[in-house]
Amino acid sequence: MKVYMTHLSRLSIITLSMLLLLGLPAVAQRGATRTRINTSRLMEIKNVDVVYISPAMLQSVPKASLKIDGADAMSGIMEGITSIRIYTSSDRKAIQEIRHTFAPIIELRHSDLEQLMYVKDGNGVVNLIGQLQGDNATELYMIVSGDDEYTVINFSGSFSRRELEKAVSQDNNRRRKR
């Protein structure tokens, strides 16, 4: 009986180990899934305007001049920006290409994406989507969709959830007062 239990215990440990080892890559992949967008083809599409502001260029601009509408809550976000990319067009075909390129972001296809803000008014729709890793966002996507223009602004950097919530709640309060 003792030999049987030892064999059973070894078999259980081996089986448990195998299950854990087989399960680890799936768990690691789920936690490590990051949405990647290939924007290089937008450079080749006619009527898509592309602007890139490098980290070096951002460092040369005083942070105070980057404030949006003088909002203090935005200062934490503005300080966390390391680079900015802007993709915009007013051409229908080019707009379709931009939408197609950013579809994984717009449609929130992956668990690392979270819609932080959505505003619809008479002029169009503004979405703010964050690519989060825990309590930090590494990418913010502001998508502005109007009747005759479409713009995606990608802010790269490091943004805490607290900074994002503060900025979004201040913006919502400002909109209610209008």
Side-chain angles (χ1 to χ4, degrees), residues 3-99:
V3 173
Y4 178 75
M5 287 302 282
T6 305
H7 178 69
L8 185 59
S9 296
R10 263 191 249 141
L11 186 59
S12 297
I13 290 171
I14 291 171
T15 305
L16 182 60
S17 298
M18 291 302 288
L19 288 173
L20 286 173
L21 287 174
L22 291 174
L24 281 177
V27 171
Q29 284 178 343
R30 263 186 270 141
T33 301
R34 293 210 6 104
T35 305
R36 300 271 186 222
I37 303 296
N38 182 4
T39 57
S40 60
R41 68 187 198 114
L42 290 177
M43 298 291 284
E44 300 167 8
I45 296 175
K46 186 177 179 182
N47 297 322
V48 173
D49 296 329
V50 180
V51 177
Y52 170 69
I53 303 172
S54 71
M57 188 70 158
L58 283 172
Q59 287 177 351
S60 68
V61 176
K63 294 292 183 183
S65 66
L66 293 176
K67 282 190 174 180
I68 298 174
D69 292 337
D72 292 334
M74 291 298 292
S75 64
I77 291 175
M78 298 311 285
E79 289 175 12
I81 295 173
T82 57
S83 67
I84 301 172
R85 289 176 174 81
I86 303 169
Y87 307 90
T88 188
S89 184
S90 56
D91 178 75
R92 284 188 324 180
K93 285 179 111 176
I95 288 172
Q96 293 297 41
E97 289 296 326
I98 296 172
R99 285 181 194 230

Side-chain angles (χ1 to χ4, degrees), residues 2 25 55 58 62-63 69 74 95 102 114 118 160 169 176:
K2 191 174 188 178
L58 283 172
K63 294 292 183 183
D69 292 337
M74 291 298 292
I95 288 172
F102 286 96
E114 182 177 322
Y118 178 91
S160 74
S169 66
R176 283 187 203 127

Side-chain angles (χ1 to χ4, degrees), residues 68 71-78 114-119 126-130 132 137 140-142 159-178:
I68 298 174
D72 292 334
M74 291 298 292
S75 64
I77 291 175
M78 298 311 285
E114 182 177 322
Q115 184 162 339
L116 302 171
M117 184 177 73
Y118 178 91
V119 178
V126 176
N127 282 302
L128 181 63
I129 297 171
L132 299 165
L140 294 176
Y141 295 91
M142 182 175 284
F159 316 98
S160 74
R161 184 177 288 278
R162 174 184 252 165
E163 291 168 339
L164 295 170
E165 288 171 352
K166 184 178 176 184
V168 169
S169 66
Q170 185 181 41
D171 184 67
N172 288 339
N173 289 339
R174 217 173 1 154
R175 288 182 187 281
R176 283 187 203 127
K177 289 179 182 178
R178 287 183 192 173

